[in-house]
Every structure is written in C-alpha cells, then in structure tokens.
Amino acid sequence: MAKRLCSVLVSFLLLVSVCAENSKVARVNLASFTWKDTEDNKNCSAEELETSSLSVMHIQGKCSPFRLPKSSWWKAISESIKGDNQRYRAMVKGEWSSGKSMVNPQEDTDLPLASGHAINTGNYIIKLGFGTPVQSFYTVLDTGSYIAWIPCNPCSGCSSEQFEPSKSSTYKYLTCTSQQCQSLGVCENNDKNVNCSRTQGYGDKSEVDELMSSETLTVGSQPVEDFVFRCASAARGLTQSTPSLVGFGKDPLSFVSQTATLYDSTFSYCLPSLSSSAFTGYLTLGKGALSVQGLKFTPLLSNAVNPYFYYVGLNGISVGEELVSIPPGTLSLDESTGRGSIIDSGTVITRLVEPAYNAMRDSFRRQLSNLTMASSTEPFDTCYNKPSSELGFPHITLHFDDGLDLILPVESTLYPADEEGSVLCLAFALPPGGVDDVLSIFGNYQQQNLRIVHHIAGSRLGIASENCDG
C-alpha cells in the first residue's frame, strides 16, 4: 500500500485539495459531495475473496455477505451508526473474562480487512479459518470485544455460515475443570464431565448460548493450535444476524493474548474509507506492524474499571486554529469511575463526553456561522444545508499525550445525512446517556485512512496517515 506523508484522500466523492499537516482549513468540492453506491474495479467472485483472506473490508461493503439486503450504501452505513448507542451501553456494562492460551512463535502476518454491522460487534471483517481441515469464515475484527465466538452447527437462530465441529479432527470442548472455564466463573461445580457452557447477554437484550471450546485457528497460512473460543448453539435478538467475531481487546482470552508469543502482542490495521466497498484495508500482526512511515506514538493507558479497553490520553481538541476551552479534568483518566478515552474499531462515530463535545461543537458552529443550519438527525446535532459553492471547513485536531496531534481529514469530520449529500453534519456525537456517561470513544469513522498500531508490549498506540483504499 502506498504510504505518504501527505496524501490527497477521496471518500464519498469528497475531494480535499490540501494536506492536513500543512493547513487548518480544507477546501472542499461540495458539488461532488454525494453518497451513492460507488463503482470500482473490484469484483466479488469467490476466487478473489479467497485470495484476500488476510484483507479487511467494511461489513456493509458490496463484497460482504452481511450487507443489509435491498439497502443502499448510505442506508446501510446509517443503520450501522444507529447501533452505536446500544454498543456504548453494552461496553460500559459488559462482562469481562480471563484465562490464557499460548502458541509457538512464528513470522509476522498480514491480513486483508473489510467492514461489519452487528450492534455488539465491530464494523470491519477479515477471513479466518477454523478446524482441521480448515473451514473459512468472515469474522468481525473488534478491539472492544475479547473472546472469539462463531456459530456452530446446529445453531438455532444463527447466521447461515456455521462451523461444523464434527468435521474437524482438532475440535475440543472445555469442561468445568479447565483453567479457562474456571477463570470465567461459569460452572458452579468442578465436574470434569460437565461442559463449560453459559448464556452470554448483551446490552441490547440479545443472548447467545455458548460452549467454551478450543480449535486450530488458521491465520492466513499460519495455524494457531488450541485457540480458545465460544461455540454458539443458539442466538436470540440482534446477534442472530451477527457474523463470527474475533476479539482484539486486552482480555487474557482475546486473540491478542492467546497469540502473544506468536505476534509479540502487536498489531495494526488500516481501515478503508467508506468509498471503498471491497477488501482494500489490511490487518498486520507482529513486529512488522511497527514499520510504518510517519508513525507517531502516544501511551496506552490502563483503567481498573475497564481493564481490557485501549485507553489513550486525549488531552485537548482544536477546531481550525482555536484550541477549545474544555473544563479541567473532563478528559482525565479516573480509575474509580472508568472515565477516560478509548480507541475502538467497532464504534462508528466518535463520542465525546458532554463538556468536551459541547466546547468542540460550539467552536465549529462559530466558524461556520455563515452557513444555514439544517434539522438535526440522530445522533448528530450540528447539520448544515450544503452551500452552492466550494467552502473551507476547519480541520479538527485531537491532541493526545506525548505530543501526538492528529489532524483529521474533513472526510472524517463531515457526515452526509442523505444520499444526495444535501445536508452535511458534524460527524461527532454525545454518549447516549449524556452528562451521566464518562467514557469517550474514538470511533472508526474518524480512523478512515489511518494506520492504527497497537503495540501492547510497549504500552503505546501509533498513528500515521495512509491510503487504505488500495
């Protein structure tokens, strides 16, 4: 993939003609700002998808089997955004688990990336293999989740793609006496003849009946033996339409922890813009993820309330040339309440706690006071009728600890509120609980065309500009 210190990025046919690094204002060609299904040179043949097994794609992309039927591109993405409220609530009230399984060290691995849509999952999918012989599945890449799960045949209410344990020579179910099961506190006794099973509930009232299992996971061509995951036998609620999921959080049973000796607890992803509907992004596993031009780092922080989230030190926000005034302590880490900022691949729109969001929004409105405001559309409260001529929009800069200043391209700060792009909204929002919510989330809409590096071994997060559209 092309790596550029300063690139001209195109998303939703939005043309930005300046480098974010050199200007606080972007000149935007609004005449071409529409939200239509894009035509590209990618086809969705089985052969192409098979060779893209390590790539990343949006779950609503045209090559995704999980795209909402009879849905326009704009509507499909809008439905994903609607799920953010439920996801936020599920994350702050989630159940976390523990346990660990290790594998032998091997080489770095690159995976292709694409996008996904369930409420409690992420929005980008990769293709992985389970079992011996390998059975391939599209799985959601989710840094806000922890233990992997896949539908296992027979699975009542699950998606049509189901793993067949009976056809794998390496499948094992875990009993109540296993270390992993005991770390979850699932079983009430220590009977080695009782399977480790439970019903997992989510914040949107969805439920999944699961059996803790282990299997050989194939990552590209690399086998990972005795990988612990949840084998789902029934699903109720929104999880019925959910594809398989692999959690990349910091839980001891996450993909990252289980492959720590294999990939050195290091991974990066490059999320394609929503103008790219095929497998054009990439997931890189191992130390090779650190070999990125222009990479800048900020510390990864910990919070005892949510120990498996990727907290970062967001300490300020600028709109254009103005450093907005945020009350002291608003963004500070607080281990008694869980307050702080996390980065998450599964939340779509960045959520900022109320005092920070209000300060940023008010500055944005002041600098665009010459535009006519339009009616708000959930979850956005700052929308404008598209002007008839080209206009300069202020860049939004997120200031992180250790001097990492991320200047977002305008394509990541404006959201077209209809298919024609006649209304443009500030693409940030408040948490669903308003003033009572203390967690800010850096979402994937603002991560488009950025290389995001999670170097857990070094307790740092890296960010660099990159064209992730192939």
Side-chain angles (χ1 to χ4, degrees):
M1 281 198 251
K3 296 180 175 66
R4 307 169 186 169
L5 289 176
C6 185
S7 61
V8 178
L9 304 176
V10 179
S11 180
F12 313 115
L13 303 182
L14 170 64
L15 306 180
V16 181
S17 60
V18 298
C19 264
E21 289 80 357
N22 296 327
S23 174
K24 298 295 184 180
V25 177
R27 304 298 298 182
V28 180
N29 180 5
L30 295 173
S32 62
F33 202 116
T34 59
W35 198 322
K36 301 289 187 182
D37 285 282
T38 56
E39 297 294 333
D40 54 38
N41 295 323
K42 303 287 185 180
N43 64 64
C44 298
S45 66
E47 180 180 0
E48 179 175 350
L49 291 180
E50 188 65 33
T51 60
S52 298
S53 62
L54 302 181
S55 296
V56 177
M57 174 180 70
H58 196 279
I59 199 168
Q60 296 298 340
K62 75 170 188 177
C63 293
S64 170
F66 306 107
R67 183 163 179 177
L68 296 174
K70 298 180 180 179
S71 178
S72 68
W73 182 231
W74 172 81
K75 184 177 180 180
I77 299 302
S78 297
E79 288 299 315
S80 293
I81 292 174
K82 288 180 181 178
D84 272 359
N85 283 353
Q86 290 94 329
R87 179 181 174 86
Y88 186 101
R89 295 186 182 102
M91 292 178 73
V92 298
K93 296 178 181 179
E95 298 176 346
W96 317 130
S97 57
S98 60
K100 198 166 188 176
S101 175
M102 305 300 286
V103 294
N104 295 324
Q106 298 289 342
E107 297 179 354
D108 297 346
T109 298
D110 286 338
L111 302 176
L113 201 58
S115 179
H117 115 277
I119 294 300
N120 292 295
T121 67
N123 296 99
Y124 289 84
I125 54 177
I126 58 177
K127 200 172 188 180
L128 297 174
F130 287 81
T132 306
V134 172
Q135 301 173 43
S136 296
F137 295 92
Y138 294 98
T139 62
V140 169
L141 164 67
D142 191 359
T143 61
S145 296
Y146 314 106
I147 302 176
W149 77 275
I150 61 174
C152 292
N153 189 41
C155 184
S156 173
C158 294
S159 62
S160 57
E161 286 193 340
Q162 298 184 13
F163 175 63
E164 300 270 3
S166 63
K167 295 182 179 180
S168 172
S169 63
T170 48
Y171 174 80
K172 304 172 187 175
Y173 61 83
L174 301 180
T175 69
C176 286
T177 57
S178 67
Q179 175 189 350
Q180 294 88 347
C181 186
Q182 292 192 353
S183 69
L184 295 173
V186 173
C187 295
E188 295 182 357
N189 56 55
N190 292 324
D191 192 336
K192 65 180 180 180
N193 296 314
V194 177
N195 294 342
C196 182
S197 60
R198 70 172 181 175
T199 296
Q200 173 68 51
Y202 294 96
D204 66 335
K205 308 304 181 183
S206 293
E207 291 183 334
V208 179
D209 295 339
E210 304 165 336
L211 175 64
M212 294 300 296
S213 309
S214 71
E215 182 56 280
T216 296
L217 176 72
T218 301
V219 184
S221 59
Q222 174 61 51
V224 179
E225 296 180 353
D226 298 321
F227 182 80
V228 176
F229 69 103
R230 296 166 173 169
C231 197
S233 59
R236 295 169 293 277
L238 289 171
T239 52
Q240 290 178 291
S241 59
T242 302
S244 306
L245 178 146
V246 176
F248 274 70
K250 293 192 293 183
D251 181 87
L253 283 179
S254 74
F255 176 90
V256 178
S257 296
Q258 291 195 62
T259 61
T261 59
L262 182 64
Y263 299 124
D264 196 38
S265 299
T266 303
F267 68 95
S268 73
Y269 54 76
C270 192
L271 302 182
S273 68
L274 294 182
S275 64
S276 175
S277 58
F279 274 98
T280 60
Y282 284 88
L283 168 69
T284 300
L285 303 171
K287 293 181 180 179
L290 299 171
S291 302
V292 179
Q293 187 177 15
L295 196 63
K296 296 181 179 179
F297 289 97
T298 188
L300 281 173
L301 309 177
S302 297
N303 192 311
V305 175
N306 300 310
Y308 308 124
F309 287 158
Y310 293 107
Y311 277 84
V312 289
L314 177 64
N315 58 57
I317 304 169
S318 292
V319 179
E321 298 288 347
E322 179 184 1
L323 178 64
V324 300
S325 179
I326 300 174
T330 297
L331 298 171
S332 301
L333 195 74
D334 187 330
E335 295 201 57
S336 64
T337 64
R339 185 180 65 200
S341 303
I342 69 169
I343 182 169
D344 178 34
S345 69
T347 298
V348 183
I349 298 299
T350 293
R351 303 292 179 124
L352 296 171
V353 292
E354 189 164 302
Y357 174 77
N358 289 345
M360 180 202 67
R361 177 202 60 198
D362 293 347
S363 176
F364 190 83
R365 288 180 176 179
R366 285 194 300 271
Q367 296 183 45
L368 293 175
S369 59
N370 57 323
L371 291 185
T372 302
M373 293 196 71
S375 299
S376 60
T377 177
E378 178 68 26
F380 309 113
D381 67 0
T382 300
C383 301
Y384 298 92
N385 293 317
K386 184 177 70 175
S388 57
S389 60
E390 183 179 288
L391 184 72
F393 281 85
H395 278 293
I396 292 177
T397 303
L398 303 179
H399 303 287
F400 295 96
D401 291 350
D402 282 11
L404 194 164
D405 296 330
L406 176 60
I407 305 176
L408 297 172
V410 174
E411 67 192 54
S412 298
T413 60
L414 294 176
Y415 175 82
D418 56 27
E419 295 192 53
E420 290 71 33
S422 61
V423 174
L424 305 177
C425 298
L426 175 63
F428 290 76
L430 287 166
V435 70
D436 294 329
D437 288 323
V438 296
L439 186 67
S440 295
I441 302 180
F442 181 28
N444 64 51
Y445 193 88
Q446 279 69 41
Q447 296 175 47
Q448 297 175 76
N449 280 314
L450 293 175
R451 172 66 69 170
I452 307 293
V453 178
H454 291 69
H455 186 208
I456 295 91
S459 297
R460 57 182 184 165
L461 180 89
I463 303 178
S465 296
E466 184 171 330
N467 180 6
C468 309
D469 292 340

